[in-house]
Amino acid sequence: MAPPFRAEHLGSFLRPDDLLKVRATIRDKGISAEEAGLPAVEKRAVGEVVKLQQDLGLKGIGSGEYNRTRFWGLLWDEFEGTVALQSAEASMFRSYHPDVVSLVEKDSKVFPGESVITQGKLSHNPSKSVSDLHELRLVQEFVPKSEWGNIKLTMIAPSWFHMRYKQGRAYTKDAYANDAEYFADVAKVYQAELKQLYAAGLRNVQFDDPGMAYFCSQSFREGYEEDKDNIGTIDDLLDAYIKLYNDIIQGLSADLHTGIHLCRGNFIDGRYFAAGAYDIIAKKLFEELNVNTFYLEYDTDRAGGFEPLQYLPKNKNVVVGVISTKLPQLEDKEATKERIYKAADFIAEGSGQTREEALKRVCVSPQCGFSTHESGYPLTVDDEKKKLSLIRQIADEIWGEP
């Protein structure tokens, strides 16, 4: 069976203490990863989280994102032409963007933490773009070669940094004259990165895209329309992002499974950043975005109902994220199964299929990863195992296949 699998996870797992301690030592003492012994600790941790997934019966094995300190990793830092900003001026950002609203304190003049802008022409340098490749190869060490095609690598959305910046501020005027020029090169560097990973054995990629879910947020939509600096409407921006994805995907091999995870935020302490049902973007997104699979958050009412799934085309899949990684309480198995059947019924209604036929395009997962940043999340490792075990049980009882 090829991806997606009936029982899925969304990427990140709770980090082990020894990994957190080594990274803290690197930060606090200013020593190198090698001096702190990070490579050995990281490798051992990845091996352990791979075994955990195997023991739980999961097929789309990942690294737990243990190589990263936050879910977007170092992909953009490694592209030629970019520069990392620390505590950048808040005036550079869209003040109504959910991340900015949540993270920039009142009267603050900076956006806390790291961000990336483009100051020169973007290009992909294989000798510099190494973190994702390292992550993939590390997982491959613990997975039989016959199963390498199942390994899932998460990758930050190509529009991740662009969306948070005000019009024209994701790049300097010396680098690009407009968004169209910028997006053309973003597509090229993503293609190059994915082709490099494909050559190394990757056949399963999940784009993590909170921004796509923000199009469902009424407050973001209103803020965008009121911002006189923006060129075009919010629907024009959605069209541009869909085109960006499609330009990337059209140059990839057909046997590379592509998926997109829409998330409303999963910050430290389980904080979310936005709310809003998929209805407003579902038909366009499902029909026009050329990914194989949509990983959708459905753990609370913030995401609305399953009705938009009626627009899912027959050649695409959906992974319904009905298990929460924000709350330690374990969901009721039978009630969760009924929710999955309800989702399938809307798919069936929209495509003229039976429930059984529609279920062939449905899978189950948590709504997000367990630790999209390094630490500070409300679940324990035991909670994590119980949640994933429940997902496996549900998948077995509904489909009886991986």
Side-chain angles (χ1 to χ4, degrees), residues 282-283 286-287 292-294 296 308-318 346-347 350-351 353 358 361-362:
K283 191 173 190 299
F286 294 162
E287 292 179 355
N292 303 113
T293 300
F294 294 90
L296 302 181
L309 297 180
Q310 67 185 292
Y311 299 115
L312 188 74
K314 289 184 178 180
N315 64 336
K316 296 177 183 178
N317 314 292
V318 63
F346 279 110
I347 296 171
S351 54
Q353 294 179 312
R361 296 188 283 123
V362 181

Side-chain angles (χ1 to χ4, degrees), residues 147-248:
E147 297 178 16
W148 281 9
N150 299 341
I151 294 171
K152 180 164 70 173
L153 185 76
T154 58
M155 181 175 288
I156 190 59
S159 55
W160 169 243
F161 288 111
H162 178 272
M163 191 182 201
R164 63 172 57 172
Y165 289 109
K166 289 184 70 67
Q167 182 74 48
R169 297 300 297 273
Y171 47 83
T172 63
K173 293 179 180 178
D174 291 336
Y176 295 101
N178 52 52
D179 281 353
E181 287 186 9
Y182 169 75
F183 289 149
D185 277 357
V186 173
K188 289 177 183 176
V189 293
Y190 264 74
Q191 265 195 14
E193 174 74 4
L194 285 162
K195 287 179 179 179
Q196 174 174 281
L197 293 166
Y198 182 90
L202 182 69
R203 297 295 182 272
N204 187 9
V205 63
Q206 170 190 304
F207 295 104
D208 284 330
D209 197 340
M212 199 63 81
Y214 295 168
F215 282 102
C216 305
S217 164
Q218 194 58 40
S219 60
F220 175 71
R221 297 180 71 88
E222 289 173 358
Y224 191 92
E225 296 296 354
E226 293 169 1
D227 185 347
K228 302 305 181 185
D229 291 333
N230 288 327
I231 298 174
T233 66
I234 194 164
D235 291 323
D236 292 332
L237 185 67
L238 176 59
D239 287 339
Y241 288 171
I242 290 174
K243 181 180 184 300
L244 173 57
Y245 269 108
N246 290 344
D247 286 347
I248 294 167

